[in-house]
Amino acid sequence: MTHTPANPPETNTCETTPQRRWLSPPVLLAAFGAACVLFQAWVFARWAADGNLRSYPFNGDMPTHLKISTQVLQVLVAAACVALAVLCRRQSRAAGHVTLLTTLTAGWALAFWADPYIAPHTHFISNNRYGINYPTWGPYLPGWDGPLPQHQTFLENGMYPLLVIWIWIGLAIARLLRTRRPQWSRARVAGLTTVLLFPVDIVLEQAYIRAAGFGYARATPCLTLFEGQWYQLPLTAATVMTLLVAPPVVVMAVYAGPGREVWMLEGSLSLPHRAQPWIRLLAGVGLVHVCMVGFIVLTQLYTPLTYLIDLPPWFERPA
């Protein structure tokens, strides 16, 4: 006689039921990610067709040390993006499938198109005109009606895929807390990790701003470091950045069961082999764009409380 356990082990229905596999979180996120990719392709095709593959000239005054840091920073960002792409490829080939790092990198690399939506009605980010710059694609986004002309820069857009550094740091903090305090609940680990990421974001953003990577054109009264200076950092912006870049991945990693993938990828390896890499890549794109929606919404909530500061020539909008 065989004994039937009172509590049989759980089975992953996403892996055993074909119908459920195609309604799993990675597939749904991938569908949203694919829609976002198609939309941005439509935006950039129109933007490029209208002759926007050009730059704005800069003839204003800029301190020599910032001119040097601008050029050095551009080289470092380009090199870091290439190195990250190589690392993702090697890691995925070694694992035999698209890894979490790869899908998150793809997601953030394809998120920069939504940058003008962060401030669809005002000038919010001050971009470095001395570096590689180009006209904004804001006018090609439905609902965007910000002041013109505006520009985007490689220094700002190129940092999007490098936001995985924030995620690396968050995951490292969470692992350290779980090792040092194994009795702590998962919620406590995720919460404290988020709190500790706040000063990390301030340090990283300030370092990049001071090197003229980008800046904030608007200040939140009494809630801005170095308020009114070109290198200011609104704590409201730092809070939104802290909440929406690393914590979603940290929470998924902390709550993932032993030997299981994070929620956004769970069950994707049971899909047909040809579909797996695309579903996993696009799932990352979908998740990041969900975060971008949150970023845009939260930024719009506090933007009415801000005011525009005086900017130096290299951070001003093109004439």
Side-chain angles (χ1 to χ4, degrees):
M1 174 182 288
T2 59
H3 175 67
T4 302
N7 296 304
E10 285 189 22
T11 58
N12 189 340
T13 56
C14 290
E15 296 178 355
T16 59
T17 307
Q19 292 82 1
R20 292 289 299 276
R21 284 187 306 181
W22 294 104
L23 293 176
S24 61
V27 174
L28 297 177
L29 283 172
F32 179 57
C36 292
V37 171
L38 291 174
F39 180 76
Q40 68 176 288
W42 172 71
V43 169
F44 282 125
R46 293 161 55 233
W47 174 81
D50 285 345
N52 288 298
L53 295 175
R54 58 185 177 85
S55 64
Y56 289 107
F58 175 70
N59 299 313
D61 294 328
M62 187 180 192
T64 301
H65 72 281
L66 291 180
K67 289 183 179 180
I68 295 173
S69 70
T70 296
Q71 302 305 328
V72 171
L73 206 56
Q74 288 185 145
V75 172
L76 290 177
V77 169
C81 288
V82 172
L84 183 58
V86 172
L87 175 62
C88 288
R89 178 176 174 79
R90 288 182 176 177
Q91 189 186 78
S92 294
R93 292 187 67 178
H97 58 258
V98 174
T99 62
L100 177 63
L101 170 65
T102 302
T103 189
L104 292 172
T105 301
W108 283 110
L110 291 172
F112 75 94
W113 71 272
D115 191 72
Y117 270 144
I118 293 175
H121 308 300
T122 187
H123 181 48
F124 186 79
I125 297 295
S126 49
N127 283 308
N128 187 341
R129 292 180 58 192
Y130 186 74
I132 299 172
N133 68 89
Y134 26 84
T136 183
W137 46 87
Y140 298 86
L141 298 174
W144 190 93
D145 62 351
L148 288 171
Q150 284 196 44
H151 66 300
Q152 308 284 147
T153 63
F154 170 71
L155 279 176
E156 188 202 1
N157 300 149
M159 269 300 296
Y160 270 80
L162 300 184
L163 289 178
V164 296
I165 295 172
W166 275 246
I167 299 174
W168 273 339
I169 295 173
L171 292 174
I173 293 173
R175 282 195 296 269
L176 180 62
L177 291 176
R178 298 188 80 178
T179 300
R180 296 289 183 88
R181 296 290 186 272
Q183 74 277 15
W184 281 7
S185 68
R186 290 175 291 188
R188 188 174 185 180
V189 170
L192 183 56
T193 298
T194 301
V195 171
L196 294 175
L197 280 170
F198 184 66
V200 171
D201 177 78
I202 290 176
V203 171
L204 292 177
E205 283 205 71
Q206 260 295 288
Y208 203 68
I209 290 172
R210 294 276 186 157
F214 81 103
Y216 289 98
R218 307 187 70 86
T220 307
C222 302
L223 290 174
T224 302
L225 294 179
F226 314 110
E227 184 174 342
Q229 304 297 320
W230 65 265
Y231 47 83
Q232 68 175 8
L233 175 59
L235 296 180
T236 44
T239 299
V240 173
M241 187 84 161
T242 299
L243 290 174
L244 293 175
V245 175
V249 181
V250 170
V251 170
M252 288 190 294
V254 168
Y255 277 86
R260 300 175 73 103
E261 289 198 286
V262 296
W263 172 81
M264 62 173 285
L265 295 176
E266 190 175 15
S268 59
L269 293 179
S270 67
L271 296 170
H273 185 71
R274 289 186 177 183
Q276 286 179 21
W278 297 107
I279 293 296
R280 291 172 74 86
L281 281 173
L282 289 171
V285 176
L287 177 75
V288 168
H289 279 80
V290 169
C291 294
M292 285 298 295
V293 170
F295 198 106
I296 292 166
V297 170
L298 291 179
T299 302
Q300 293 312 298
L301 289 177
Y302 75 78
T303 296
L305 305 176
T306 65
Y307 66 92
L308 192 66
I309 68 169
D310 292 329
L311 295 169
W314 64 88
F315 270 167
E316 287 180 346
R317 290 168 42 214

